[in-house]
Amino acid sequence: MFDRLEDLLIRFEEIMSELNEPGVAGNQDRFRKLMKEQSDLTPIVDAYKEYKKAKQDVEDSLAMLEEESDEDMREMLKEELSSSKKRIEELEQELKILLLPKDPNDDKNVIVEIRAGAGGDEAALFAAEIYRLYVHYAESQRWKVETLNMDEIGIGGMKEVSFMINGQGAYSRLKYESGVHRVQRVPETESGGRIHTSTISVAVMPEADDDIDIVIEDKDIRIDVMRASGNGGQCVNTTDSAVRLTHYPTGIVVYSQTEKSQLQNKAKAFALLKAKLYDIEQQQRHDAEAELRRSQIGTGDRSEKIRTYNFPQGRVTDHRIGLTLYKLDKVMNGDIQEIIDACIAADQARKLCILNQQA
């Protein structure tokens, strides 16, 4: 591990040296690549420098203890020695985590697709609430939300909604949201006061960048235009602005009607289709790496029940990591960072366990 850290430290110094060269800013592609690499290496290099300093502090404290005869000074040196040793242990664990293989999609924007499942209108109402949950969370992170498609029902619910979240590291956090979300509560239409269970599915897909080789042949796609349906202004419902794409090889159908312009809806539909195709490619790659997939938290089977929202008891339970929080109101208002942090920690712990077994 430490040989690799030394190599990364040398590489970091090379990058800093190149960035200081007067001509590097003239080559924007090279400049962006260097800045990205510098950003990725900075937390590792900072932690490693602190680790080396703590090691040096231990050596200095031991040397001074051998020469020091004053008891008060010896006690102070022993405390410093103990503190440095403890910090070394913490930094070793931190460095192991920082050196874990990084998901290449972690820095990307995401496309989220929410679908109502079992439970009829109640599932559609819950789908709308989970959509608002993610919008609130995105706003708290200063991320931008752009709706791609929305299929609403008259009582305020949504059969389906697709939206893009633009923000640094969005996928690294929201990827743990993929799966089946279950709600347990008494619906407003229930006169007998019985608790109903409904489900929705959430799919979180990394945005497919332009440099990713996802080829969509003209012969493989059918483009239909039509008038938008559902809630909307006069222009939305009276012009052929909605776009539906059918991808023959996969059977995927995507639909976009949120914009007044047919061209804008077409661009959104193609972005969603490209993300879906990229997601299929990623899933196939994960299937080929079965052990890695089993070690991941919440990025596996989309049919996996990952979380239950119990309204009568005011609790949220994430079944993958055994976490239960009694702050349902805050969670439904977008306060999900504690759940995400716990998923990340569990994911890292499992990966470290696998690495230790292989070592």
Side-chain angles (χ1 to χ4, degrees), residues 38-51:
Q38 180 212 26
S39 176
D40 291 342
L41 288 178
T42 295
I44 301 173
V45 168
D46 287 348
Y48 185 45
K49 285 180 177 178
E50 188 180 349
Y51 172 84

Side-chain angles (χ1 to χ4, degrees), residues 149-162:
N149 181 45
M150 187 181 292
D151 185 4
E152 299 175 279
I153 63 173
I155 58 174
M158 298 176 182
K159 291 181 181 178
E160 178 184 339
V161 58
S162 303

Side-chain angles (χ1 to χ4, degrees), residues 282-293:
Q282 293 291 105
Q283 292 291 325
Q284 290 171 343
R285 188 175 298 131
H286 287 171
D287 287 341
E289 301 165 3
E291 187 59 41
L292 173 61
R293 182 162 180 169

Side-chain angles (χ1 to χ4, degrees), residues 18-266:
E18 188 171 348
L19 283 170
N20 287 326
E21 292 178 5
V24 71
N27 185 340
Q28 283 299 304
D29 288 341
R30 179 63 179 162
F31 182 73
R32 278 194 293 268
K33 185 177 179 183
L34 288 170
M35 290 297 293
K36 173 70 167 61
E37 196 174 354
Q38 180 212 26
S39 176
D40 291 342
L41 288 178
T42 295
I44 301 173
V45 168
D46 287 348
Y48 185 45
K49 285 180 177 178
E50 188 180 349
Y51 172 84
K52 293 175 80 171
K53 183 181 181 302
K55 291 282 283 186
Q56 186 61 51
D57 289 344
V58 167
E59 292 180 14
D60 293 344
S61 295
L62 287 171
M64 293 171 71
L65 269 171
E66 289 182 3
E67 300 174 0
E68 187 59 61
S69 57
D70 183 82
E71 278 304 315
D72 289 339
M73 282 296 295
R74 287 182 64 83
E75 282 301 314
M76 186 176 73
L77 287 167
K78 286 178 182 177
E79 287 179 12
E80 290 179 359
L81 181 63
S82 175
S83 176
S84 295
K85 285 182 175 179
K86 182 181 178 182
R87 186 59 183 143
I88 285 171
E89 291 178 4
E90 293 171 350
L91 286 165
E92 282 181 351
Q93 186 68 11
E94 186 179 331
L95 285 165
K96 286 179 182 177
I97 291 171
L98 287 168
L99 289 173
L100 284 172
K102 189 178 179 183
D103 187 332
N105 293 314
D106 274 352
D107 291 333
K108 291 183 178 178
N109 302 325
V110 297
I111 290 178
V112 184
E113 189 175 70
I114 302 172
R115 293 176 180 268
D121 287 349
E122 173 64 9
L125 287 168
F126 186 56
E129 291 175 73
I130 292 297
Y131 165 68
R132 288 189 287 273
L133 180 159
Y134 291 134
V135 170
H136 288 316
Y137 177 71
E139 289 171 348
S140 74
Q141 304 300 309
R142 292 184 170 83
W143 294 341
K144 180 184 175 185
V145 178
E146 183 181 359
T147 305
L148 301 175
N149 181 45
M150 187 181 292
D151 185 4
E152 299 175 279
I153 63 173
I155 58 174
M158 298 176 182
K159 291 181 181 178
E160 178 184 339
V161 58
S162 303
F163 54 100
M164 180 180 288
I165 296 180
N166 294 279
Q168 181 68 27
Y171 186 74
S172 68
R173 281 176 265 178
L174 290 174
K175 64 184 177 183
Y176 301 100
E177 294 301 299
S178 283
V180 174
H181 296 237
R182 182 175 69 170
V183 60
Q184 294 175 326
R185 63 184 175 188
V186 179
E188 292 181 12
T189 54
E190 170 58 54
S191 58
R194 292 175 300 173
I195 295 173
H196 287 225
T197 298
S198 304
T199 62
I200 65 164
S201 65
V202 175
V204 179
M205 299 166 282
E207 181 187 17
D209 294 337
D210 291 336
D211 58 349
I212 292 173
D213 189 22
I214 299 293
V215 179
I216 302 175
E217 301 282 355
D218 290 342
K219 63 181 177 62
D220 292 337
I221 198 85
R222 189 180 78 206
I223 303 173
D224 297 310
V225 295
M226 62 206 72
R227 291 183 182 180
S229 59
N231 299 325
Q234 294 178 346
C235 295
V236 172
N237 293 314
T238 58
T239 60
D240 291 335
S241 59
V243 174
R244 182 177 63 209
L245 302 180
T246 304
H247 188 247
Y248 295 124
T250 60
I252 293 173
V253 178
V254 297
Y255 184 75
S256 180
Q257 64 170 12
T258 57
E259 302 294 335
K260 294 179 182 179
S261 161
Q262 184 186 120
L263 285 174
Q264 289 175 312
N265 281 324
K266 185 177 179 181

Side-chain angles (χ1 to χ4, degrees), residues 228-353:
S229 59
N231 299 325
Q234 294 178 346
C235 295
V236 172
N237 293 314
T238 58
T239 60
D240 291 335
S241 59
V243 174
R244 182 177 63 209
L245 302 180
T246 304
H247 188 247
Y248 295 124
T250 60
I252 293 173
V253 178
V254 297
Y255 184 75
S256 180
Q257 64 170 12
T258 57
E259 302 294 335
K260 294 179 182 179
S261 161
Q262 184 186 120
L263 285 174
Q264 289 175 312
N265 281 324
K266 185 177 179 181
K268 285 187 173 185
F270 268 100
L272 179 54
L273 175 59
K274 196 173 181 182
K276 284 175 173 283
L277 294 175
Y278 181 57
D279 189 53
I280 289 172
E281 184 182 292
Q282 293 291 105
Q283 292 291 325
Q284 290 171 343
R285 188 175 298 131
H286 287 171
D287 287 341
E289 301 165 3
E291 187 59 41
L292 173 61
R293 182 162 180 169
R294 281 196 293 272
S295 76
Q296 291 179 324
I297 296 287
T299 54
D301 191 349
R302 291 274 160 75
S303 65
E304 175 191 11
K305 181 186 73 179
I306 66 166
R307 197 172 298 152
T308 295
Y309 305 74
N310 186 293
F311 278 73
Q313 297 179 21
R315 64 174 167 83
V316 180
T317 299
D318 196 292
H319 304 289
R320 299 162 297 178
I321 55 177
L323 174 69
T324 296
L325 301 176
Y326 287 89
K327 56 173 193 178
L328 180 60
D329 290 346
K330 290 184 178 180
V331 168
M332 295 306 296
N333 200 37
D335 185 5
I336 57 172
Q337 192 61 53
E338 185 176 352
I339 300 173
I340 290 172
D341 288 342
C343 287
I344 291 171
D347 199 10
Q348 291 172 342
R350 290 194 183 195
K351 288 174 181 175
L352 281 173
C353 183

